[in-house]
PDB file of all heavy atoms in Angstrom:
ATOM      1  N   GLU S 112      96.641  97.724 117.965  1.00  0.00           N
ATOM      2  CA  GLU S 112      97.979  98.264 118.294  1.00  0.00           C
ATOM      3  C   GLU S 112      98.646  98.908 117.129  1.00  0.00           C
ATOM      4  O   GLU S 112      99.399  99.866 117.213  1.00  0.00           O
ATOM      5  CB  GLU S 112      98.819  97.094 118.799  1.00  0.00           C
ATOM      6  CG  GLU S 112     100.264  97.447 119.100  1.00  0.00           C
ATOM      7  CD  GLU S 112     101.084  96.156 119.414  1.00  0.00           C
ATOM      8  OE1 GLU S 112     100.558  95.062 119.273  1.00  0.00           O
ATOM      9  OE2 GLU S 112     102.269  96.320 119.698  1.00  0.00           O
ATOM     10  N   HIS S 113      98.307  98.388 115.906  1.00  0.00           N
ATOM     11  CA  HIS S 113      99.046  98.822 114.663  1.00  0.00           C
ATOM     12  C   HIS S 113      98.894 100.326 114.455  1.00  0.00           C
ATOM     13  O   HIS S 113      97.859 100.905 114.678  1.00  0.00           O
ATOM     14  CB  HIS S 113      98.523  98.066 113.476  1.00  0.00           C
ATOM     15  CG  HIS S 113      98.601  96.584 113.681  1.00  0.00           C
ATOM     16  ND1 HIS S 113      97.569  95.881 114.279  1.00  0.00           N
ATOM     17  CD2 HIS S 113      99.579  95.685 113.420  1.00  0.00           C
ATOM     18  CE1 HIS S 113      97.903  94.622 114.369  1.00  0.00           C
ATOM     19  NE2 HIS S 113      99.119  94.466 113.859  1.00  0.00           N
ATOM     20  N   GLU S 114      99.989 100.891 113.952  1.00  0.00           N
ATOM     21  CA  GLU S 114     100.006 102.289 113.788  1.00  0.00           C
ATOM     22  C   GLU S 114      99.459 102.738 112.457  1.00  0.00           C
ATOM     23  O   GLU S 114      99.035 103.901 112.266  1.00  0.00           O
ATOM     24  CB  GLU S 114     101.427 102.870 113.977  1.00  0.00           C
ATOM     25  CG  GLU S 114     101.698 103.112 115.457  1.00  0.00           C
ATOM     26  CD  GLU S 114     103.150 103.472 115.676  1.00  0.00           C
ATOM     27  OE1 GLU S 114     103.749 104.036 114.758  1.00  0.00           O
ATOM     28  OE2 GLU S 114     103.649 103.206 116.810  1.00  0.00           O
ATOM     29  N   LYS S 115      99.458 101.864 111.472  1.00  0.00           N
ATOM     30  CA  LYS S 115      99.060 102.268 110.107  1.00  0.00           C
ATOM     31  C   LYS S 115      97.563 102.531 110.032  1.00  0.00           C
ATOM     32  O   LYS S 115      96.761 101.780 110.588  1.00  0.00           O
ATOM     33  CB  LYS S 115      99.473 101.180 109.105  1.00  0.00           C
ATOM     34  CG  LYS S 115     100.872 101.331 108.654  1.00  0.00           C
ATOM     35  CD  LYS S 115     101.077 100.736 107.290  1.00  0.00           C
ATOM     36  CE  LYS S 115     102.512 100.820 106.838  1.00  0.00           C
ATOM     37  NZ  LYS S 115     102.909  99.789 105.986  1.00  0.00           N
ATOM     38  N   MET S 116      97.264 103.651 109.454  1.00  0.00           N
ATOM     39  CA  MET S 116      95.841 103.976 109.238  1.00  0.00           C
ATOM     40  C   MET S 116      95.737 104.424 107.759  1.00  0.00           C
ATOM     41  O   MET S 116      96.690 104.543 107.044  1.00  0.00           O
ATOM     42  CB  MET S 116      95.470 105.093 110.149  1.00  0.00           C
ATOM     43  CG  MET S 116      95.468 104.701 111.650  1.00  0.00           C
ATOM     44  SD  MET S 116      95.237 106.088 112.697  1.00  0.00           S
ATOM     45  CE  MET S 116      93.444 106.208 112.780  1.00  0.00           C
ATOM     46  N   HIS S 117      94.538 104.748 107.390  1.00  0.00           N
ATOM     47  CA  HIS S 117      94.308 105.251 106.020  1.00  0.00           C
ATOM     48  C   HIS S 117      94.597 106.787 106.047  1.00  0.00           C
ATOM     49  O   HIS S 117      93.672 107.583 106.306  1.00  0.00           O
ATOM     50  CB  HIS S 117      92.846 104.974 105.585  1.00  0.00           C
ATOM     51  CG  HIS S 117      92.566 103.497 105.602  1.00  0.00           C
ATOM     52  ND1 HIS S 117      91.795 102.963 106.586  1.00  0.00           N
ATOM     53  CD2 HIS S 117      92.955 102.482 104.807  1.00  0.00           C
ATOM     54  CE1 HIS S 117      91.698 101.649 106.405  1.00  0.00           C
ATOM     55  NE2 HIS S 117      92.407 101.382 105.338  1.00  0.00           N
ATOM     56  N   ASP S 118      95.798 107.115 105.770  1.00  0.00           N
ATOM     57  CA  ASP S 118      96.290 108.487 105.965  1.00  0.00           C
ATOM     58  C   ASP S 118      95.558 109.500 105.055  1.00  0.00           C
ATOM     59  O   ASP S 118      95.562 110.671 105.386  1.00  0.00           O
ATOM     60  CB  ASP S 118      97.802 108.576 105.664  1.00  0.00           C
ATOM     61  CG  ASP S 118      98.558 107.910 106.819  1.00  0.00           C
ATOM     62  OD1 ASP S 118      97.967 107.643 107.835  1.00  0.00           O
ATOM     63  OD2 ASP S 118      99.784 107.713 106.622  1.00  0.00           O
ATOM     64  N   TRP S 119      94.923 109.043 103.971  1.00  0.00           N
ATOM     65  CA  TRP S 119      94.312 109.990 103.063  1.00  0.00           C
ATOM     66  C   TRP S 119      92.948 110.441 103.616  1.00  0.00           C
ATOM     67  O   TRP S 119      92.325 111.370 103.075  1.00  0.00           O
ATOM     68  CB  TRP S 119      94.179 109.355 101.720  1.00  0.00           C
ATOM     69  CG  TRP S 119      93.576 108.005 101.711  1.00  0.00           C
ATOM     70  CD1 TRP S 119      94.196 106.817 101.894  1.00  0.00           C
ATOM     71  CD2 TRP S 119      92.148 107.678 101.638  1.00  0.00           C
ATOM     72  NE1 TRP S 119      93.296 105.812 101.908  1.00  0.00           N
ATOM     73  CE2 TRP S 119      92.062 106.273 101.739  1.00  0.00           C
ATOM     74  CE3 TRP S 119      90.996 108.442 101.430  1.00  0.00           C
ATOM     75  CZ2 TRP S 119      90.828 105.624 101.671  1.00  0.00           C
ATOM     76  CZ3 TRP S 119      89.809 107.761 101.371  1.00  0.00           C
ATOM     77  CH2 TRP S 119      89.740 106.373 101.514  1.00  0.00           C
ATOM     78  N   MET S 120      92.458 109.750 104.633  1.00  0.00           N
ATOM     79  CA  MET S 120      91.092 110.098 105.086  1.00  0.00           C
ATOM     80  C   MET S 120      91.164 111.166 106.164  1.00  0.00           C
ATOM     81  O   MET S 120      92.223 111.294 106.833  1.00  0.00           O
ATOM     82  CB  MET S 120      90.454 108.842 105.733  1.00  0.00           C
ATOM     83  CG  MET S 120      90.161 107.716 104.819  1.00  0.00           C
ATOM     84  SD  MET S 120      89.361 106.392 105.612  1.00  0.00           S
ATOM     85  CE  MET S 120      87.643 106.689 105.162  1.00  0.00           C
ATOM     86  N   THR S 121      90.101 111.849 106.345  1.00  0.00           N
ATOM     87  CA  THR S 121      90.020 112.795 107.491  1.00  0.00           C
ATOM     88  C   THR S 121      89.550 111.977 108.718  1.00  0.00           C
ATOM     89  O   THR S 121      89.017 110.863 108.547  1.00  0.00           O
ATOM     90  CB  THR S 121      89.017 113.895 107.280  1.00  0.00           C
ATOM     91  OG1 THR S 121      87.727 113.306 107.206  1.00  0.00           O
ATOM     92  CG2 THR S 121      89.328 114.636 105.983  1.00  0.00           C
ATOM     93  N   ALA S 122      89.839 112.501 109.893  1.00  0.00           N
ATOM     94  CA  ALA S 122      89.377 111.796 111.113  1.00  0.00           C
ATOM     95  C   ALA S 122      87.885 111.566 111.053  1.00  0.00           C
ATOM     96  O   ALA S 122      87.388 110.479 111.416  1.00  0.00           O
ATOM     97  CB  ALA S 122      89.768 112.590 112.331  1.00  0.00           C
ATOM     98  N   HIS S 123      87.194 112.572 110.600  1.00  0.00           N
ATOM     99  CA  HIS S 123      85.744 112.482 110.555  1.00  0.00           C
ATOM    100  C   HIS S 123      85.290 111.414 109.593  1.00  0.00           C
ATOM    101  O   HIS S 123      84.411 110.572 109.895  1.00  0.00           O
ATOM    102  CB  HIS S 123      85.122 113.829 110.159  1.00  0.00           C
ATOM    103  CG  HIS S 123      83.658 113.919 110.403  1.00  0.00           C
ATOM    104  ND1 HIS S 123      82.767 113.640 109.405  1.00  0.00           N
ATOM    105  CD2 HIS S 123      82.951 114.239 111.502  1.00  0.00           C
ATOM    106  CE1 HIS S 123      81.557 113.803 109.867  1.00  0.00           C
ATOM    107  NE2 HIS S 123      81.651 114.158 111.174  1.00  0.00           N
TER     108      HIS S 123
END
Side-chain angles (χ1 to χ4, degrees):
Chain S
E112 178 190 1
H113 305 89
E114 275 174 27
K115 276 205 181 151
M116 294 171 86
H117 303 104
D118 287 347
W119 50 272
M120 295 183 101
T121 65
H123 192 269

